[in-house]
Amino acid sequence: MSKQYLTVHTVDQAHPTEIFSLAPTPTSLFSASGSSSIRIHSTVEPTFPLQQELIGAHKLGCHHVTTARDGAGIVAASVGFSGEIKIWRRQGGNGAAWELWWEVAPTKTSGGDVWAVALSADENYLACTTSDGRIHVWDLNARERVQTYETGSSTGGGSFALSVDLSRDGKLTASGHESGAVYVFNNDAGRMAYSLSGLAKPVRAVAFSPGCKRLAAAGNAGVIAIYDMDHGEHVGNLTAPSSRPAWITSLDWNDTGEYLLSGSLDGKVKVWNVAQGVCVATHSETEDALWSVKWLPRSDRVLAPGMSKAEMFCAAGASRNLSFYREATGM
Amino acid sequence: MSPWLDVVLNDDLHLPVSRSIVTIPRFAPQETALEKIENLLEGIIDAISEGRELTIPFRTTRSPQAQQGDEPNCDLVRFPGRTIQEARRFEALFRIIELSHEALLSGNIITKRNIFYQNVDLFKSQGVVDDLVDNLAYTLGLGREDLNIVAAAKGLISGPVDLILRGGDVVHCNLPPGGILLPHIASVEKVDFHEAKWLLVVEKEATFKTLATSQYANNSFAGPGVIVTAKGFPDLATRRFLSVMHSARPHLRLYGLVDFDPHGIAIFRTYKSGSKRLAHEQDTTVPEMRWLGIRSSDVLSASRRDNLDISSGSDSQSSQDVSSQESVAYSHDGSQERHPSKRQKIRDSRDPVEFFLPLTDADRKKAVDLMNDIRSTDVVDGDNLEQLNELQRMLMLNVKAEIQAVDDFGNIASWLDERLCAL
């Protein structure tokens, strides 16, 4: 059964250059772009106004920004094109401004440039990947590296780790690689749990389901592979009927774990019903590449008179716009 | 801009024969060059007669090749010096000064390659000569050519234009199918541009050869033009040639076609705004050059094009009927004589992934260095922003692609037609 989504609002030209990454908190949305500032828009007001701008956050632009899914929404992390990681924090309630907490200089991450980042749900740990296939885990409060997962051979580095995710229960770390490999690590044991095959092409997005039972992975293959996390088995693929779909750049599960959102380089954002294995909605404003798609955490508040509490998502990319969608209900 | 530009235009207006011929003025002779070189030599002779240590002032440009710890801020080269290396360095530098002096007195031009091959034991490698010559020019506040020392020709040119040399010889750039070596611009007296409307600089010699062999400069849909390559990173001679061509013919549209990788963008930027190492050289940039490609969008659409072709044609198309796929590609408005009538329409059935290669660590570092360069320029204008954006996309996608990614089984002509006509 298909679902209907409507454009709620578009923040035109939210950044002066293309937007590479989005990260929601319960009340706001971080967006990072090729320009030096990170912007934070409110998601609890109908016009999604700009709430704060982290000016000059990353001189050469910022390719990844992340927040904790299901977290309190007081910590965020961003990575600049020069390889520096910045940890941002908000102290003192909802009205408080975000401030730089601390920073990891590129030199402190030895062995390859830092690429993707993910925050644990308790906002205490940060996982970051490197161009030589490592995954480092940092303890944010202690400001030290507590774990490094190696994916390479003993003789050299591994394949570029393009994507990373942490399960909400904190038990698992997943990474997606240039080689097409997907690895899952057991954080308690501190070692690899599963090496998952099936995509064979660069994996640009990995995402654990909210219940931590499933892992979704996608990239240049244009299909979304679903893996079971109890046994590390490939349990299915989500594919569009078209012969050779575009590269997928971004994946995100909704809060119930029923739906998966995907964004791709042909500008299409799709909503998938995971249980049925079908695409239930496709949207595209333009053919401009999408770099990031994210569900907004479900809010108990009604955004505006006449608007429901329906789930919303945001898509952004080369168009520089932030496009907000919500499910059409009562139709 | 160039002080002699007005004169050229005047010449152009009053030429009775053909307005397509433009006179290239002689480079203003640097009278000070001989003087400066002679001052250096006198200083050395004085030192000998007074029994002092011999010294040559010598500053180094910001050279990426400069070895670390190798006298980084050397202001003087001494003889006999403290080490054997320094004595050797003095000898090498002195030899170059001597050769430059001879060349300046006689009015001859010598190449860096000749300097090296006449003194192989002394210089050990061509790179040593290159560095010494550039740094000597830099120290004296001159251009390399002011010393009457030039690099051997590296660039190639092809297209319906004629170069009239100072000796009276005419070089028809149209004739040899593989293009011809660029003559040194100082030896060119006039250029007959005929109908040329554009000048395309391509990074790769292979692309150049393909285009030259197919006479693309004659039968482009965008009208006749000129194609030049410096076979990779541009040398000073090619850059100066382009600068002079542009000054002589300001309305000649200039384009650059480079690979979609950090190196390609660095090459384009060098044509456009020069290199750091040779920033002291004058008239060697063409800021007007436009970036024809290839960009991330070309690469991604090439992959889509291929996707379509594969899905629609792979079932029916086998290798046996390749010849039947050849067809008359351009037959409208009866222009078959001028345009190649047959362009193979075989679609490439390579997997699009083959067009891309993942970036290496060195590529990624180079991309970040370039981005830093762009960010630190005074004016981050539209061109710079576009380069910045393309470098970021390269890093995001973690791919690079060669010019061949947009061609059609080795034939880049239709892609070029489209681009040159659109601009």
Side-chain angles (χ1 to χ4, degrees), chain B residues 291-309:
Chain B
W291 189 11
L292 199 66
I294 59 176
R295 295 179 174 78
S296 55
S297 54
D298 295 318
V299 175
L300 294 173
S301 66
S303 81
R304 278 203 281 274
R305 180 197 72 187
D306 258 55
N307 285 349
L308 290 175
D309 290 338

Side-chain angles (χ1 to χ4, degrees), chain A residues 17-18 20 33-36 59-61 63-64 81-82 113 115 131-132 160 162 178 201 204 243-247 265-266 287 289 291 318, chain B residues 300 303-304 306-307 310-311 351-353 356-359 361 364-365 368-369 371-372 375-376 385 388-389 391-393 395-399:
Chain A
T17 60
E18 58 189 278
F20 293 125
S33 73
S35 39
S36 60
K59 185 186 164 208
L60 297 185
H63 52 75
H64 279 87
F81 278 99
S82 317
D113 305 329
W115 192 245
S131 57
D132 61 353
F160 196 130
L162 295 164
E178 173 76 32
K201 291 180 180 178
R204 298 182 178 275
S243 59
R244 303 258 309 254
W247 295 2
L265 286 184
D266 60 359
E287 284 192 359
W291 293 112
Chain B
L300 294 173
S303 81
R304 278 203 281 274
D306 258 55
N307 285 349
I310 287 166
S311 56
D351 189 296
V353 173
F356 314 122
L357 285 170
L359 298 174
D361 282 351
R364 300 182 71 85
K365 188 180 175 304
V368 172
D369 289 349
M371 285 163 67
N372 270 313
R375 272 281 173 228
S376 60
L385 275 182
L388 206 55
N389 187 237
L391 286 164
Q392 288 171 338
R393 285 190 144 211
L395 289 168
M396 284 299 288
L397 295 167
N398 197 40
V399 296

Side-chain angles (χ1 to χ4, degrees), chain A residues 123-186:
Chain A
E123 302 188 332
N124 286 331
Y125 296 95
L126 175 80
C128 69
T129 70
T130 67
S131 57
D132 61 353
R134 291 183 170 86
I135 298 97
H136 299 302
V137 182
W138 289 74
D139 180 329
L140 293 181
N141 291 301
R143 302 191 182 192
E144 63 181 14
R145 203 158 75 195
V146 292
Q147 182 69 265
T148 294
Y149 297 119
E150 306 269 352
T151 65
S153 61
S154 54
T155 52
S159 165
F160 196 130
L162 295 164
S163 48
V164 68
D165 197 25
L166 291 168
S167 65
R168 293 194 195 186
D169 59 11
K171 288 182 177 151
L172 302 173
T173 303
S175 60
H177 296 255
E178 173 76 32
S179 62
V182 174
Y183 300 112
V184 179
F185 303 91
N186 182 318

Side-chain angles (χ1 to χ4, degrees), chain B residues 374-390:
Chain B
I374 295 171
R375 272 281 173 228
S376 60
T377 49
D378 299 338
V379 193
V380 181
D381 58 10
D383 279 354
N384 281 330
L385 275 182
E386 192 188 7
Q387 290 162 20
L388 206 55
N389 187 237
E390 288 295 314

